[in-house]
Amino acid sequence: MRQTYHNRKVFLIFLSTACLVFSSNVFAKTVSFDPSFSEFILKNASPLHTQLKNKTGLGYESLKNQFNSIDCNPNKLDSLDLADKIEDYQFYITLNTVLAKCKSSISVKEYELQHLLKNKDPYLIIAGESLNSPMSYFGHSLILFLDKKDFYFSPVISVLAPTEGLSTFEQISKGGFSFIHAELNVIPLHQVIDFYNDQESRNLKFIKLPKSIFKRNRLIDYFNHQLEKDLSYNFFTKNCSTYLYDALNYACDCFNNAPSIITPVLLERKVQKHLTKASQFEMNSLFNTFNKGYQALNSNQKKSVKNMFIDTRKKFFHDKNVSNVAVLASRLTFESYHNPNQAYSELLTAYGKDNSLLSNVPILEFTSDEDLDSTSISSVKMTLKEESINLKLSVVDFDHFQQRSYNFISSKLSAGTVELTQKKGSTSLNALEFLNIQAVTPLNFVTKKPSWRLKLGVERNGFNKLKGLISAGVGAASSISKLKMYVLPSIELRSRLTFPVYSGIQMNTDQLSIKYEMKNLKEQSITFLRRENSNFGYEYNVSKQKNKKALHSLTLSYYF
């Protein structure tokens, strides 16, 4: 009996040890990773052709690393006989001919996460806000594991809810008030750049996660655990940032208890608090890159860009700045707006798009206080008026006008806002704002997107009664230098149905922002705002209604 008990005890110890040693290898769930090699070649044939001829650049280095990954000699790339001019598809065929001589192909494979992410540096990616999709009102967040030698094929972890087949109403109703099935996917970085930077024209911010604080193995362990679960998604309470917040907290154990609603900018701010050195770089969206280049041109150069873009019969110019901006204009039309102009092929054939692939990994920079303006998503505002004091609390308060950095568009998004008024010793509820969105996108010969607004809430009317409010409008905007002008004809339901026209002019500078707004030419206001730092700001406002005296107010704002 003693011998049997002893043998059983030894067997149980051996079994437990084996489980501990081999569990991560034998029982770990694998993940599918598709480098999408052919897609990368076809979409970037022109800049890859240039980098291969010059034997330099991140696209060139990434190709070499992909050849190494299948034990194929990367020197075959250097032996390619490439003509000065070659069509994109012919370049793709030439490269695939070389690849076909290798023993194996670059294709989708199953990996254990620990193996796939080994020796790669984790970065938090923040994709800027997009008002085109209900899922992206608050931006998007991902985790990159960067391999500097294989930049464009570095794996990125993304938690998303597939919404194919769902209407906008279904996305809002199910994703906002219930749950949608979610997926954890690993995709190559070039797809992230193509989708967010180019197709959706959103800036991408890359924030390096210090290994001394965020333990890479624990970060990977968290995602391994999620692979075993059925994941769900809610735009507010269980979104992409909720999962990444839990993942990063698991890796560092340095965050406080998670709030009910986590947004990408809140997640960014949490991470920024633990950074002590230069640790971020940014990739501007295709929209911003074009507008920045276009505004830097003089009037004659702008006219040349427009002519090259519109009329294929016009002779092409040899001014590099002009040709680069003309290519960006065509790319923006095709890649972001999916409406290629007639000169698209001619422009790319003549000038290529060499700038679409990076030469080197961007240099890490310090985070400035100005950068943090966009990470404060909530606010408390106290407004001093002649006969009352207003207190306004917003769960979400994102407004480009209130930020110091210049933006080519003017977006405003607030939600969960409560406004209280104290007058003659009594306090009352003045307004509830469920959702307030205004997206002002200036039109030009490339950008044809309308500007629009939507407001849902409850407001106190002229008879001191709280009434529901639904207001929506669509219009147009334009810009001259740093001035933005817009007109938004609207339909509005308060006590009765009306059709007001909202219009305005905005100007943002580092020191002071000014906006002049009108409603039906009967109500006018002008606001002067100064953002003192990422947490504090103040504004002076003068408003006037027809046949009434002007009202003055001073607002002190705290952003957090």
Side-chain angles (χ1 to χ4, degrees):
M1 288 289 291
R2 288 182 179 179
Q3 183 65 31
T4 302
Y5 175 77
H6 176 74
N7 291 341
R8 182 182 299 172
K9 186 176 181 180
V10 171
F11 174 73
L12 289 174
I13 292 173
F14 172 78
L15 184 62
S16 300
T17 303
C19 288
L20 288 173
V21 172
F22 298 110
S23 60
S24 62
N25 296 318
V26 177
F27 303 108
K29 191 170 182 179
T30 59
V31 65
S32 176
F33 180 69
D34 183 358
S36 300
F37 185 78
S38 295
E39 175 188 325
F40 178 70
I41 302 302
L42 283 170
K43 287 185 176 179
N44 298 283
S46 173
L48 280 174
H49 173 250
T50 301
Q51 291 195 359
L52 275 173
K53 286 185 71 66
N54 297 331
K55 296 180 174 53
T56 184
L58 292 182
Y60 170 69
E61 295 296 333
S62 295
L63 285 184
K64 287 175 61 178
N65 199 76
Q66 286 299 300
F67 271 65
N68 273 325
S69 70
I70 58 171
D71 296 323
C72 189
N73 188 351
N75 291 331
K76 292 181 179 181
L77 291 169
D78 297 333
S79 63
L80 282 174
D81 184 18
L82 297 174
D84 289 335
K85 295 291 182 181
I86 184 172
E87 292 184 357
D88 288 356
Y89 188 70
Q90 185 57 48
F91 174 80
Y92 169 74
I93 294 297
T94 302
L95 203 58
N96 267 330
T97 301
V98 176
L99 194 60
K101 298 176 182 178
C102 301
K103 294 180 180 179
S104 56
S105 61
I106 302 172
S107 58
V108 57
K109 294 179 181 178
E110 294 290 323
Y111 295 90
E112 290 180 4
L113 271 182
Q114 197 68 249
H115 173 70
L116 179 62
L117 309 179
K118 185 179 179 181
N119 298 325
K120 296 178 177 66
D121 296 324
Y123 282 70
L124 172 65
I125 299 180
I126 301 294
E129 83 286 351
S130 170
L131 299 182
N132 296 326
S133 167
M135 287 184 66
S136 304
Y137 283 166
F138 306 102
H140 189 57
S141 53
L142 312 96
I143 295 289
L144 161 70
F145 286 82
L146 181 64
D147 183 347
K148 291 183 178 180
K149 294 181 180 179
D150 198 12
F151 184 86
Y152 286 106
F153 295 95
S154 296
V156 179
I157 292 180
S158 172
V159 180
L160 276 176
T163 56
E164 292 82 1
L166 295 179
S167 66
T168 300
F169 175 77
E170 289 174 318
Q171 289 184 45
I172 294 175
S173 59
K174 293 182 179 181
F177 301 99
S178 182
F179 291 93
I180 304 175
H181 171 70
E183 294 179 351
L184 189 155
N185 296 316
V186 185
I187 56 179
L189 178 58
H190 71 83
Q191 285 190 333
V192 173
I193 294 172
D194 175 64
F195 181 75
Y196 292 105
N197 233 187
D198 298 338
Q199 293 184 41
E200 293 207 337
S201 271
R202 297 159 70 173
N203 285 0
L204 287 174
K205 185 179 291 184
F206 297 75
I207 305 170
K208 188 173 183 178
L209 302 171
K211 294 179 181 179
S212 58
I213 300 173
F214 299 93
K215 308 302 180 185
R216 187 174 59 85
N217 286 339
R218 285 184 61 82
L219 186 60
I220 296 171
D221 284 345
Y222 173 86
F223 291 116
N224 263 325
H225 296 325
Q226 300 309 305
L227 289 173
E228 304 291 337
K229 301 177 181 179
D230 290 326
L231 305 182
S232 57
Y233 198 101
N234 178 278
F235 298 146
F236 302 103
T237 61
K238 205 168 186 180
N239 55 43
C240 58
S241 296
T242 307
Y243 286 100
L244 298 195
Y245 184 100
D246 292 341
L248 294 177
N249 192 35
Y250 186 80
C252 73
D253 195 23
C254 57
F255 295 168
N256 298 325
N257 293 331
S260 300
I261 298 177
I262 300 173
T263 64
V265 288
L266 183 145
L267 180 63
E268 178 187 349
R269 196 173 183 88
K270 285 285 186 182
V271 171
Q272 293 282 10
K273 289 181 179 179
H274 296 279
L275 306 180
T276 57
K277 58 182 181 179
S279 55
Q280 73 172 35
F281 66 88
E282 191 164 355
M283 295 181 68
N284 282 325
S285 69
L286 188 54
F287 175 86
N288 285 339
T289 304
F290 161 72
N291 278 283
K292 185 177 180 179
Y294 185 68
Q295 290 197 4
L297 302 177
N298 61 41
S299 57
N300 288 331
Q301 289 174 318
K302 288 180 179 178
K303 185 178 179 180
S304 297
V305 169
K306 189 174 181 179
N307 287 337
M308 292 168 68
F309 178 85
I310 294 175
D311 192 346
T312 57
R313 295 170 297 178
K314 293 287 183 180
K315 290 183 179 180
F316 291 153
F317 294 81
H318 298 290
D319 186 321
K320 187 174 182 181
N321 290 330
V322 171
S323 60
N324 284 343
V325 175
V327 169
L328 286 170
S330 287
R331 286 187 58 207
L332 181 62
T333 304
F334 177 61
E335 296 175 36
S336 297
Y337 302 146
H338 310 295
N339 184 29
N341 66 310
Q342 291 183 346
Y344 177 78
S345 298
E346 287 88 342
L347 285 170
L348 262 66
T349 300
Y351 302 111
K353 54 175 187 177
D354 294 351
N355 294 333
S356 63
L357 289 184
L358 297 174
S359 299
N360 301 289
V361 177
I363 298 173
L364 295 177
E365 299 178 347
F366 285 99
T367 303
S368 67
D369 185 67
E370 187 175 309
D371 293 330
L372 296 178
D373 285 0
S374 62
T375 66
S376 300
I377 61 165
S378 303
S379 69
V380 177
K381 298 180 179 180
M382 183 175 68
T383 301
L384 306 176
K385 298 184 177 182
E386 296 174 22
E387 297 181 354
S388 64
I389 298 175
N390 285 21
L391 186 66
K392 192 173 185 179
L393 300 92
S394 299
V395 175
V396 176
D397 184 8
F398 181 94
D399 193 339
H400 281 142
F401 176 74
Q402 297 175 5
Q403 299 171 17
R404 287 168 286 177
S405 58
Y406 178 74
N407 290 278
F408 295 103
I409 62 174
S410 179
S411 296
K412 171 186 172 61
L413 168 63
S414 59
T417 299
V418 179
E419 185 177 348
L420 304 174
T421 299
Q422 186 180 59
K423 188 175 183 180
K424 296 180 180 179
S426 64
T427 302
S428 60
L429 176 65
N430 193 51
L432 285 174
E433 208 170 76
F434 305 127
L435 186 64
N436 187 359
I437 303 174
Q438 181 169 292
V440 174
T441 305
L443 300 175
N444 53 41
F445 68 95
V446 179
T447 303
K448 302 294 192 293
K449 297 185 67 173
S451 298
W452 60 280
R453 60 183 297 275
L454 173 66
K455 188 174 183 179
L456 306 173
V458 176
E459 287 185 353
R460 195 171 292 278
N461 63 16
F463 301 100
N464 203 30
K465 300 289 185 181
L466 286 173
K467 293 291 183 179
L469 166 66
I470 301 175
S471 181
V474 178
S478 62
S479 66
I480 301 176
S481 186
K482 291 191 174 182
L483 285 177
K484 300 183 188 72
M485 296 155 282
Y486 64 89
V487 178
L488 300 174
S490 304
I491 181 170
E492 201 162 272
L493 179 62
R494 296 176 187 258
S495 302
R496 59 191 179 88
L497 189 65
T498 58
F499 300 91
V501 176
Y502 291 87
S503 58
I505 301 174
Q506 292 185 8
M507 182 180 73
N508 283 65
T509 68
D510 294 338
Q511 302 300 322
L512 189 69
S513 295
I514 305 171
K515 65 178 175 182
Y516 174 72
E517 297 175 302
M518 289 187 294
K519 179 182 177 182
N520 287 341
L521 303 177
K522 295 180 179 180
E523 299 178 22
Q524 305 173 61
S525 71
I526 186 168
T527 302
F528 302 88
L529 180 140
R530 177 175 171 81
R531 185 76 174 247
E532 196 63 34
N533 54 45
S534 59
N535 292 117
F536 293 98
Y538 43 87
E539 65 183 62
Y540 173 70
N541 174 272
V542 181
S543 60
K544 190 179 186 310
Q545 294 186 23
K546 190 175 183 180
N547 300 326
K548 293 184 179 181
K549 69 173 186 177
L551 300 176
H552 302 260
S553 65
L554 177 66
T555 300
L556 306 177
S557 303
Y558 174 69
Y559 306 93
F560 59 97

